[in-house]
Amino acid sequence: MKIYKEYLKEYEKRIIMYTPLAIIGQSCLGSVAAMYILMNGNSAVEMFQLFIITIMCMFYNGAMLSQQKPKLSFNLLIISVLCSVIITILNTI
């Protein structure tokens, strides 16, 4: 929890710098996850995974565009990145 609080404080202090970096980074990570999902086919399971990745990336992008509080946007960034990484790993195995 200490690491989370330190990163959150850093994010809040320099949110103007981290916003474009985070948008680009999590969008690219979501694109990679979507690519791996679609490489496995287009059944209902893959489409559900694609839906989850798309929604998670859009939640963060929407939070940044609507200028939500830094803590909310930071939490959405973490959730989006974790979902992308987990689904990418599951689809590469």
Side-chain angles (χ1 to χ4, degrees), residues 21-91:
L21 292 173
I23 288 174
I24 293 167
Q26 68 92 20
S27 294
C28 289
L29 196 56
S31 298
V32 169
M35 178 190 71
Y36 277 108
I37 291 167
L38 293 173
M39 284 173 53
N40 286 336
N42 58 358
S43 69
V45 174
E46 280 87 13
M47 291 300 114
F48 181 72
Q49 291 176 0
L50 189 61
F51 171 75
I52 295 297
I53 289 299
T54 304
I55 290 299
M56 288 298 122
C57 290
M58 292 302 291
F59 277 159
Y60 177 73
N61 290 343
M64 294 315 303
L65 288 173
S66 63
Q67 298 178 350
Q68 298 296 318
K69 294 181 181 178
K71 185 173 182 178
L72 175 65
S73 63
F74 185 69
N75 290 336
L76 287 172
L77 175 63
I78 291 171
I79 292 169
S80 172
V81 168
L82 286 176
C83 283
S84 295
V85 168
I86 289 169
I87 289 182
T88 300
I89 291 170
L90 290 175
N91 281 287

Side-chain angles (χ1 to χ4, degrees), residues 4-27:
Y4 170 79
K5 288 182 181 179
E6 288 176 13
Y7 282 135
L8 177 60
K9 187 176 178 182
E10 174 71 19
Y11 183 82
E12 288 173 341
K13 190 167 53 171
R14 294 188 174 97
I15 193 165
I16 299 298
M17 178 184 73
Y18 286 122
T19 297
L21 292 173
I23 288 174
I24 293 167
Q26 68 92 20
S27 294

